[in-house]
Amino acid sequence: QLQLVESGGGLVQPGGSLRLSCAASGRAFYYNNMGWFRQAPGKEREGISCISRSGSITNYADSVKGRFTISRDNAKNTVYLQMNSLKPEDTAVYYCAAETTYYNGGYCRRGAEHMNYWGKGTLVTVSS
């Protein structure tokens, strides 16, 4: 069992930046690929980024590529999402998720169907 708790959401102006954090419980954090998802009002949940166990591999949705950066600190059991050049359309509830894997081949995938654990989400509002 892995508990995930997001933090760092809030109100930010267009063009601004925000960093989200996801704190994971337990010693098993390293054995999970991690991902960030978001769901805007009236929209489907979107897998926006993922990162492999060691952090060597990352992947981004086209909607955030070049603006968002995912990272992880395995010593702190924490994954981050640095969000820059924020747009109003980035407004959404952002979720942290984990995909347990016992292989260290260096990969990640953004599909929600692969995730084993989910946080409850943190709201990001981009508005002037």
Side-chain angles (χ1 to χ4, degrees), residues 24-96:
S25 66
R27 298 175 181 175
F29 177 71
Y30 177 79
Y31 297 101
N32 293 269
N33 296 330
M34 301 298 297
W36 286 98
F37 295 75
R38 69 184 182 186
Q39 189 164 21
K43 303 291 185 179
E44 297 292 323
R45 185 168 297 191
E46 177 188 20
I48 58 172
S49 187
C50 66
I51 188 167
S52 63
R53 300 199 312 184
S54 70
S56 63
I57 300 295
T58 59
N59 186 267
Y60 300 91
D62 289 341
S63 56
V64 306
K65 193 173 299 180
R67 300 187 298 120
F68 291 9
T69 302
I70 189 171
S71 62
R72 65 191 295 164
D73 186 338
N74 289 332
K76 296 181 182 292
N77 282 9
T78 303
V79 62
Y80 305 95
L81 185 68
Q82 179 66 48
M83 305 185 294
N84 298 326
S85 301
L86 284 163
K87 306 173 181 178
E89 50 263 46
D90 294 319
T91 296
V93 176
Y94 284 72
Y95 299 90
C96 177

Side-chain angles (χ1 to χ4, degrees), residues 1-5 22-35 72 77-79 96-101 115-120:
Q1 188 175 14
L2 192 66
Q3 298 290 329
L4 304 174
V5 180
C22 174
S25 66
R27 298 175 181 175
F29 177 71
Y30 177 79
Y31 297 101
N32 293 269
N33 296 330
M34 301 298 297
R72 65 191 295 164
N77 282 9
T78 303
V79 62
C96 177
E99 178 190 5
T100 302
T101 176
M115 303 301 165
N116 303 109
Y117 303 99
W118 293 85
K120 290 181 169 57

